[in-house]
Amino acid sequence: MSFSHIFTIVVPVFLVIALGYGAGRRMSFGGGGADALRVLTMEFALPASLFLGIANTPRHILLSQGPLVGMLALGLLGLFGLILLGLRLFGRLPLPRASILALASVQPQYAFMGVSILGNLFGDAEAAIPIAIAGILVNVILDPLVLILLNLGHPPAAEATASASAPPRVLVSAGGGPAAAEEERDGDTGAAQTATKPVPTWVKVVQPLRKPFAWAPLLGLIIALAGVRPPEMIESSLTLVGQAASGVALLSVGVTLARVGMPQLSPGSIAIALTSVVVLPLSTYAIGLVLTGHEVAAQTALILAFPVSPVPMMLASQHVKSEEHRIASSVIISIVLAFASLPLIINLTS
């Protein structure tokens, strides 16, 4: 397959992101419009699309894909755990920051770009299986796990509201000022949290699972394993909502990037981008060749070869604002790198 044919398929996806970036620069989504676009993506369109994609996957396909499940789990969950552990032990980062940076390093844009690019390259049926399995691993396990970790590191909404309404407190540290403020933003325990009533751990664990982004894929998995299909009327309704997921999500990426500003060419953002589009797919491809064979290794590498997903960026804007710029920068850098890396990996694995 020629590079020109690959670029013909890949470029339209990036043009939609560029369209969103231009709209964001022109302030077309000002006055809360960008937040509304994010809510539409994360609370409605994407959960509906993920639910239908997983629920309509035949049970026998899900049960016969053990090697592919294992390799994708190794690439997504295994590397996430290693990066999280390294950031906590060696980087000494608070749990929310370490969690969101580790997620950005391993979660690709398979949900936004995979159906369009892989479907056009290899056919919808061939691309559907690895995309569905990746969706189950990411949206049923990885993203809810990160939501739980973020919630364990930060007070829930009710607690945060109580803290905001409480009288202001001065945090004192040995270095003074900025260090204390940074600790408060990162969710470190201290005087800012002692004035509120402690929240039970089980509440922090369960609360993120109430979001449609977490429970909709899980419900789809239960329905798929039960061997039933959603009622036709429900499926038709959710299809109308889910059809907006890919385009709206890519548009939202561009708008969010425009709000963040110029990319931050820091070692951290470059490292996240390189890990996502180079280290992750090539390492899993090499391991897969040894453990499973070429076909499964190729499927795994292609799913993991996409640029950094906008989901960590959206989660950072809600939970770890201090990392939003770094992750947004890594999205931009990974998109630029993907123009070269994605065709090369497709050619390598074909």
Side-chain angles (χ1 to χ4, degrees):
M1 185 177 296
S2 66
F3 283 161
S4 61
H5 179 54
I6 294 173
F7 279 121
T8 300
I9 295 173
V10 169
V11 166
V13 174
F14 297 115
L15 289 179
V16 177
I17 297 176
L19 178 64
Y21 184 84
R25 295 290 292 177
R26 293 194 306 269
M27 301 299 293
S28 299
F29 292 92
D35 291 333
L37 194 62
R38 176 183 56 78
V39 170
L40 173 61
T41 301
M42 300 293 288
E43 302 292 337
F44 294 95
L46 189 54
S49 176
L50 294 171
F51 169 79
L52 290 177
I54 297 174
N56 290 328
T57 302
R59 178 173 57 182
H60 72 277
I61 292 179
L62 295 176
L63 297 178
S64 66
Q65 297 296 320
L68 182 58
V69 172
M71 285 305 305
L72 284 172
L74 178 65
L76 293 167
L77 306 179
L79 188 58
F80 169 80
L82 288 177
I83 295 175
L84 177 62
L85 186 63
L87 292 175
R88 289 286 287 161
L89 293 180
F90 302 106
R92 302 293 182 184
L93 293 182
L95 183 60
R97 289 181 61 189
S99 301
I100 205 68
L101 291 176
L103 180 65
S105 300
V106 303
Q107 183 168 341
Q109 294 192 29
Y110 71 92
F112 304 139
M113 301 170 63
V115 174
S116 175
I117 293 177
L118 296 183
N120 286 325
L121 284 173
F122 309 114
D124 292 339
E126 192 73 19
I129 296 174
I131 290 175
I133 293 173
I136 292 170
L137 290 172
V138 170
N139 298 290
V140 175
I141 301 176
L142 183 58
D143 284 341
L145 173 62
V146 172
L147 286 172
I148 290 170
L149 295 176
L150 290 172
N151 218 38
L152 290 174
H154 286 303
E159 185 179 352
T161 303
S163 298
S165 61
R169 293 173 295 277
V170 178
L171 300 182
V172 180
S173 66
E182 182 67 23
E183 290 177 0
E184 184 179 22
R185 286 195 302 269
D186 290 339
D188 291 345
T189 57
Q193 295 186 19
T194 58
T196 60
K197 183 179 178 180
V199 176
T201 301
W202 70 269
V203 174
K204 294 183 178 182
V205 170
V206 172
Q207 188 179 37
L209 301 180
R210 297 169 58 187
K211 295 179 179 293
F213 185 70
W215 61 256
L218 180 58
L219 180 60
L221 175 61
I222 294 173
I223 291 176
L225 292 178
V228 299
R229 289 180 61 92
E232 183 177 354
M233 183 177 299
I234 299 297
E235 185 171 346
S236 298
S237 300
L238 292 178
T239 298
L240 292 175
V241 178
Q243 285 174 343
S246 182
V248 171
L250 293 172
L251 194 68
S252 178
V253 172
V255 173
T256 303
L257 295 178
R259 294 177 65 191
V260 173
M262 293 296 294
Q264 181 186 68
L265 297 179
S266 65
S269 58
I270 295 174
I272 291 173
L274 286 173
T275 300
S276 176
V277 301
V278 178
V279 176
L280 183 60
L282 291 183
S283 61
T284 52
Y285 180 63
I287 296 173
L289 288 177
V290 176
L291 298 180
T292 63
H294 174 76
E295 182 178 355
V296 173
Q299 287 179 313
T300 305
L302 290 175
I303 286 292
L304 302 179
F306 292 110
V308 177
S309 171
V311 171
M313 179 178 61
M314 295 175 183
L315 292 177
S317 69
Q318 295 176 290
H319 300 276
V320 194
K321 197 72 175 179
S322 61
E323 293 296 343
E324 182 183 13
H325 195 183
R326 189 201 306 265
I327 296 176
S329 299
S330 70
V331 174
I332 298 175
I333 297 170
S334 67
I335 287 173
V336 174
L337 292 175
F339 274 106
S341 63
L342 187 57
L344 289 173
I345 292 174
I346 291 173
N347 185 62
L348 172 67
T349 58
S350 64

